[in-house]
């Protein structure tokens, strides 16, 4: 009697189904060891993972914070240096409206120095000559005088530069030349002079000079051309707030902004375009919040 | 022993195991170890290999005992875990040594009575002599009732390969049964 495949399968199944074979004792011992080991492993692994994660995060955070501090310090110094000439130029602008944005800062500095020297000289001259003429020389008087003189010198210097003495400047030059006359004036009207200096500040006469320059002389244009290279530093500051993904920090900022909708993001990098490297300027872990004020 | 069985029904043991009682785990293990080792033996070359499968299987039983909700027999649930443990063991250790093709003489017929006369341990020995691939396919298909598609997925082979391996395994088993049958006749005669 031949046996079909199914029959044979069935016979094997039936016969083997009730079979029992006793295992050796080591099996149970092995099970206990494995269960204990697994329990220890399972309970410890997540804790270790979390601890490691936090440690790494803090370490990385501190690293960047410290690094960021150094860099921002450097940046502050750098910007201070940068701001100095700008402030100087701003002063120069106040006193001297002929000078447009293209004016050479260095030349201004030297101009002021020259002006200051001139004032000193004049003051010494005055002190020499006015020793007899001026009897009442108070501080206000001196200040007012020096102010006026400074302005006069500025404009004088300007005339040197432009090689184009205007009518007012000419007057002032004459005044300078005829020192005794001025001294008399100064001596006679000390209070008015203070007002006068205030009146001079708006630079009206200097404005009046302005249109004359391009029309009459070529030297001025030469001066302009020479100074064209500098303004690049000033406009560079203007588009600071233009945001684009230029640095790695910007990329992180964008990604974080998508995920984190809070005002203070979980991590924020500086977004100034001046520096090549990005610095962390803010970290917000909820309970720990660090934020650097951006300059 | 009888007293213990009365005292600890399977349900209470399961409940205690879920609570993490080592004693309950041991009692439950002792209750099923013999049967489950027999299951593992069919997938193994020898008892040592089968005991490894059994150990891994029971560790998983106790780790996943919370997943057993009481639907279906607990024995069936444990048995499925043992089969999976055996499959995993096979994957780890026998994947590389795939099919060894034994030249068999197909078409031989076996007397059903001859198989019936064979001892369960003899049948077990026959299965264990099969190469791992054949043994796995025969066990899964003939005894556990898996489809060829499922076996293909488990073993990472095609459905067709599963079918051909099953027919080869059967042919080998028949041949072995005939040999044993002849021996039995000799003993009888």
């Amino acid at each position: 009697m031949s046996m079909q495949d199914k029959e044979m399968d069935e016979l094997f199944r039936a016969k083997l189904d009730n079979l029992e074979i006793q295992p050796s004792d080591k099996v149970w011992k092995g099970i206990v060891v494995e269960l204990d080991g697994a329990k220890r492993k399972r309970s410890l692994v997540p804790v270790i993972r979390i601890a490691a994660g936090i440690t790494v995060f803090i370490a990385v955070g501190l690293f960047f914070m410290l690094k960021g501090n150094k860099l921002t310090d450097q940046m502050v110094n750098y910007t201070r240096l940068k701001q100095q000439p700008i402030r100087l130029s701003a002063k120069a602008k106040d006193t001297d409206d002929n000078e447009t944005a293209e004016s050479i800062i260095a030349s201004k500095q030297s101009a002021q120095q020259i002006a200051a020297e001139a004032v000193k000289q004049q003051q010494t001259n005055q002190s020499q000559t006015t020793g007899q003429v001026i009897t009442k020389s108070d501080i206000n008087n001196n200040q007012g005088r020096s102010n006026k003189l400074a302005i006069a010198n500025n404009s004088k210097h300007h005339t040197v530069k432009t090689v184009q003495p205007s009518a007012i400047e000419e007057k002032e030059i004459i005044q300078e030349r005829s020192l005794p006359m001025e001294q008399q004036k100064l001596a006679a009207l000390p209070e008015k002079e203070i007002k006068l200096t205030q009146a001079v500040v708006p630079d009206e006469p200097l404005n009046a000079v302005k249109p004359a320059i391009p029309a009459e002389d070529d030297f001025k244009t030469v001066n302009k051309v020479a100074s064209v290279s500098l303004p690049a530093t000033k406009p560079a500051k203007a588009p600071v707030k233009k945001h684009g993904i230029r640095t790695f920090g910007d990329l992180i900022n964008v990604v974080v902004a998508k995920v984190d909708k809070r005002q203070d993001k979980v991590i924020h990098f500086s977004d100034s375009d001046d520096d090549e490297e990005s610095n962390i300027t803010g970290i917000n872990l909820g309970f720990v919040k660090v934020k650097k004020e951006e300059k | 022993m009888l007293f213990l069985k009365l005292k600890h029904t399977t349900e209470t043991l399961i409940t205690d195991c879920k609570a993490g009682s080592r004693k309950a785990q041991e009692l439950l293990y002792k209750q099923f170890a013999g049967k489950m080792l027999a299951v593992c033996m069919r997938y193994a070359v020898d008892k040592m290999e089968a005991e490894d499968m059994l150990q891994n299987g029971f560790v998983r039983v106790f780790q996943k005992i919370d997943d057993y909700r009481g639907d279906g027999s607990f024995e069936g649930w444990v048995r499925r875990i043992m089969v999976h443990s055996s499959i995993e063991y096979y994957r780890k250790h026998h994947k590389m040594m795939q099919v060894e093709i034994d030249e068999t003489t197909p078409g031989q017929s076996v007397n059903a009575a001859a198989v019936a006369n064979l001892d369960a341990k003899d049948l077990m020995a026959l299965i264990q002599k099969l190469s791992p691939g054949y043994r796995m396919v025969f066990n899964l298909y003939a005894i556990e009732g898996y489809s060829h598609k499922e076996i293909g997925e488990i073993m990472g082979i095609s459905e067709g390969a599963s079918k051909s391996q099953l027919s080869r395994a059967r042919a080998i088993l028949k041949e072995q049964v005939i040999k044993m049958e002849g021996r039995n006749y000799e003993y009888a005669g």
Side-chain angles (χ1 to χ4, degrees):
Chain A
M1 185 182 150
S2 80
M3 187 170 64
Q4 295 301 307
D5 289 343
K6 295 259 174 189
E7 282 178 81
M8 196 179 80
D9 292 353
E10 188 56 48
L11 266 170
F12 268 91
R13 194 185 301 150
K15 285 242 170 191
L16 294 175
D17 216 26
N18 297 316
L19 192 64
E20 276 194 42
I21 303 163
Q22 281 311 308
S24 58
D25 292 343
K26 72 179 176 83
V27 176
W28 172 244
K29 283 173 189 161
I31 291 167
V32 171
V33 168
E34 259 191 78
L35 285 173
D36 287 348
K39 212 185 269 174
R40 222 174 291 139
K41 246 190 238 168
R42 228 196 276 162
S43 59
L44 276 178
V45 164
V47 175
I48 290 169
R49 269 186 201 163
I50 292 163
I54 290 168
T55 310
V56 166
F57 191 82
I58 289 170
V60 170
L62 280 174
F63 175 74
F64 277 105
M65 287 298 287
L66 292 174
K67 201 182 165 195
N69 270 336
K70 277 181 196 165
L71 279 170
T72 44
D73 286 349
Q74 284 174 359
M75 222 179 77
V76 167
N77 287 335
Y78 177 64
T79 46
R80 268 183 203 150
L81 283 172
K82 238 180 169 180
Q83 281 169 351
Q84 268 183 329
I86 292 159
R87 263 183 233 138
L88 283 169
S89 68
K91 272 185 197 167
K93 227 179 179 178
D94 287 343
T95 53
D96 192 349
D97 249 8
N98 275 337
E99 300 283 331
T100 52
E102 306 110 43
S103 59
I104 304 165
I105 292 160
S107 75
K108 277 178 189 166
Q109 283 178 309
S110 62
Q112 286 204 336
Q113 279 175 355
I114 292 160
E117 279 168 25
V119 170
K120 270 184 193 171
Q121 281 179 349
Q122 283 178 349
Q123 278 179 333
T124 49
N125 283 339
Q126 283 170 2
S127 59
Q128 282 170 3
T129 50
T130 53
Q132 304 133 8
V133 182
I134 304 164
T135 48
K136 289 184 268 172
S137 60
D138 51 356
I139 301 153
N140 282 338
N141 198 347
N142 275 332
Q143 278 181 339
R145 204 193 311 141
S146 59
N147 268 341
K148 201 194 169 176
L149 288 170
I151 291 153
N153 274 302
N154 270 337
S155 48
K156 179 197 151 196
H157 176 74
H158 202 71
T159 57
V160 170
K161 226 167 44 177
T162 56
V163 199
Q164 194 201 14
S166 64
I168 296 158
E169 279 164 349
E170 271 180 308
K171 271 184 200 167
E172 282 172 344
I173 289 161
I174 291 160
Q175 280 180 348
E176 280 168 29
R177 279 172 192 164
S178 58
L179 269 170
M181 274 180 67
E182 198 192 349
Q183 283 158 10
Q184 281 175 359
K185 243 190 193 174
L186 292 169
L189 302 162
E191 284 170 11
K192 276 185 185 176
E193 266 177 347
I194 298 159
K195 284 171 189 171
L196 266 173
T197 52
Q198 284 168 346
V200 174
V201 172
D203 305 319
E204 281 170 56
L206 299 172
N207 276 335
V209 177
K210 205 177 180 180
I213 300 151
E216 285 183 27
D217 210 302
D218 289 335
F219 284 103
K220 185 66 186 178
T221 53
V222 170
N223 220 348
K224 272 184 187 172
V225 171
S227 62
V228 164
S229 60
L230 256 187
T233 55
K234 270 188 194 171
K237 276 225 140 187
V240 161
K241 279 295 156 188
K242 208 192 272 177
H243 279 287
I245 301 173
R246 293 187 194 174
T247 60
F248 184 65
D250 291 339
L251 182 67
I252 300 270
N253 283 346
V254 170
V255 174
V256 168
K258 290 278 177 203
V259 180
D260 191 349
K261 300 293 182 192
R262 291 178 295 179
Q263 170 106 37
D264 295 325
K265 308 297 181 196
V266 70
I267 192 162
H268 187 259
F269 285 81
S270 62
D271 46 15
S272 60
D273 294 339
D274 289 352
D275 34 344
E276 291 295 315
E277 277 185 70
S278 301
N279 303 314
I280 291 180
T281 55
I283 288 178
N284 183 7
L285 300 176
F287 55 95
V288 181
K289 202 187 276 187
V290 184
K291 193 174 184 192
K292 226 176 276 172
E293 291 304 321
E294 290 199 44
K295 269 124 195 166
Chain B
M1 198 67 190
L2 187 71
F3 173 72
L4 274 177
K5 268 183 187 170
L6 286 171
K7 199 182 172 188
H8 300 282
T9 64
T10 310
E11 281 77 42
T12 56
L13 280 180
I14 292 166
T15 314
D16 291 350
C17 282
K18 283 181 181 177
S21 160
R22 181 54 42 86
K23 189 72 198 161
Q25 286 176 342
E26 192 176 355
L27 290 171
L28 202 69
Y29 164 78
K30 281 183 173 163
Q31 193 176 323
F32 292 101
K35 264 194 175 177
M36 294 310 141
L37 184 61
V39 171
C40 293
M41 285 283 273
R42 287 192 277 110
Y43 294 86
V45 179
D46 51 28
K47 196 180 173 186
M48 242 178 74
E49 218 178 74
E51 283 183 341
D52 276 352
M53 296 171 180
L54 185 75
Q55 184 176 318
N56 291 338
F58 264 105
V59 169
R60 200 169 305 164
V61 165
F62 294 131
Q63 282 173 346
K64 298 201 166 188
I65 199 153
D66 285 332
D67 293 351
Y68 176 68
R69 307 245 174 253
D71 337 312
S73 82
F74 183 70
E75 193 184 318
W77 185 75
V78 173
R79 189 191 169 97
R80 275 197 297 282
I81 288 177
M82 293 303 154
V83 170
H84 275 103
S85 170
S86 303
I87 292 168
E88 203 171 273
Y89 192 93
Y90 163 83
R91 277 185 183 149
K92 267 187 195 164
H93 296 88
H94 297 299
K95 193 80 182 191
M96 290 301 120
M97 37 185 290
Q98 271 287 348
V99 188
E100 307 152 18
I101 297 169
D102 294 322
E103 280 308 314
T104 53
T105 48
Q108 273 190 331
S109 62
V110 181
N111 196 324
V115 178
N117 288 336
L118 287 174
D119 196 58
K121 284 195 176 175
D122 292 334
L123 292 179
M124 181 72 83
L126 289 181
I127 291 171
Q128 285 184 332
K129 272 185 204 163
L130 292 171
S131 69
Y134 292 166
R135 185 168 63 235
M136 182 61 76
V137 174
F138 181 77
N139 270 315
L140 292 177
Y141 186 91
I143 298 177
E144 308 296 342
Y146 283 75
S147 72
H148 283 300
K149 197 186 171 191
E150 286 169 324
I151 294 165
E153 282 165 11
I154 288 166
M155 295 179 65
I157 56 173
S158 70
E159 222 178 303
S162 174
K163 278 177 188 170
S164 70
Q165 285 197 34
L166 177 69
S167 69
R168 283 177 195 279
R170 276 176 179 154
I172 293 163
L173 286 173
K174 277 177 194 171
E175 196 183 11
Q176 297 298 319
V177 167
I178 288 163
K179 272 186 193 171
M180 290 182 99
E181 200 184 2
R183 227 185 293 156
N184 283 352
Y185 273 121
E186 277 170 27
Y187 290 137

